[in-house]
């Protein structure tokens, strides 16, 4: 957590909404099966994010989504990196929550973080993981239109 | 995880959407401050759930929510119980994801769980934590209308 928390000022844009919640797992395919079979979620996308070295399977409720509905993401590490390390240290489980922001680089700079943290993540969208967060909470931001 | 995963059949109602994502913490007030100050979320509710022995602080994005937008919940244990044990074992951090269902008792029974798990949770709504989940993922269900 930042030693000197700063409030959201008129110059700081807030997070707009929760984009997704993610679980980290060693096998995204079989993990996704569970949520499909038990919760009735449906697969909407399955992709490899080269820059992050991950496979992402995206799930969402079937048929009754509303415009701001958050998605559920399954993350599988494809090579050594933060997600693989997380699983080694914590085991599989809830991994991060992601908020939609207007502009990823500006959002980071407004909070004293490096705009260079931005990379192309799921769906090729600009995203980043915040370096300063409360303990035990991984927070991602993603830049997308409110209707995306 | 269930030894014999069963698929969502026509008789099984699916989860409708993600209601909230929750972090467990020892001090919900100061934890909430961080999300208000850094992400621009706003407090919408602060309550004690007697049956669960928890304090819940509810946060949501300020001003640009869409219908179906998931909320962010801060959970603080007020007495020994599952949340206090979780923090002792795992530390503070991401704790659970909650899905909206049509009818909590029926949802449990359709999946071979006990309808008696249902209790009055946040906002006095019927909710339950699933006993059979993938490793490391606490899943809550809450019974509410799609517009609630």
């Amino acid at each position: 957590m930042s030693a000197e928390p700063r409030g959201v000022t008129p110059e700081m844009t807030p997070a707009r909404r929760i984009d997704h919640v993610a679980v980290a797992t060693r096998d995204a395919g079989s993990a996704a099966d569970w949520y499909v079979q038990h919760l009735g979620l449906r697969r909407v996308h399955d992709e490899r994010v080269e820059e992050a070295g991950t496979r992402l399977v995206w799930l969402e409720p079937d048929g009754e989504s509303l415009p701001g509905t958050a998605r559920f993401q399954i993350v599988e590490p494809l090579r050594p990196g933060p997600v693989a390390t997380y699983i080694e240290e914590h085991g599989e489980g809830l991994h991060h929550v992601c908020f939609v922001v207007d502009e990823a680089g500006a959002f980071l700079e407004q909070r004293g973080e490096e705009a260079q943290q931005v990379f192309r993540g799921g769906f090729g969208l600009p995203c980043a993981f915040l370096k300063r967060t409360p303990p035990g909470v991984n927070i991602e931001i993603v830049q997308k239109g409110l209707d995306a």
Side-chain angles (χ1 to χ4, degrees), chain A residues 2-76:
Chain A
S2 169
E4 295 181 327
R6 305 182 305 176
V8 172
T9 66
E11 297 75 38
M12 290 169 74
T13 51
R16 299 298 183 186
R17 61 185 168 86
I18 294 177
D19 183 72
H20 65 266
V21 187
V23 299
T25 178
R26 294 184 183 88
D27 181 343
S30 65
D33 286 344
W34 191 91
Y35 296 94
V36 171
Q37 294 173 345
H38 291 76
L39 301 185
L41 306 190
R42 67 186 176 89
R43 284 177 172 77
V44 291
H45 195 48
D46 188 339
E47 63 181 328
R48 286 166 184 262
V49 178
E50 293 306 327
E51 198 167 346
T54 54
R55 174 187 175 192
L56 306 180
V57 178
W58 296 85
L59 304 171
E60 67 181 23
D62 187 13
E64 304 209 18
S65 294
L66 296 171
T69 299
R71 282 179 172 160
F72 197 73
Q73 183 196 79
I74 317 282
V75 194
E76 173 189 331

Side-chain angles (χ1 to χ4, degrees), chain A residues 66-136:
Chain A
L66 296 171
T69 299
R71 282 179 172 160
F72 197 73
Q73 183 196 79
I74 317 282
V75 194
E76 173 189 331
L78 297 175
R79 60 171 188 255
V83 179
T85 302
Y86 181 90
I87 293 174
E88 284 167 21
E89 294 180 352
H90 300 86
E92 299 178 315
L94 273 180
H95 182 261
H96 69 264
V97 55
C98 179
F99 291 88
V100 175
V101 302
D102 293 345
E103 207 282 301
F107 188 93
L108 294 170
E109 289 180 342
Q110 290 164 2
R111 286 151 180 85
E113 299 211 13
E114 302 293 329
Q116 289 77 8
Q117 293 163 227
V118 177
F119 65 97
R120 292 279 168 178
F123 297 96
L125 293 168
C127 62
F129 281 87
L130 301 187
K131 293 188 185 303
R132 301 174 184 172
T133 68

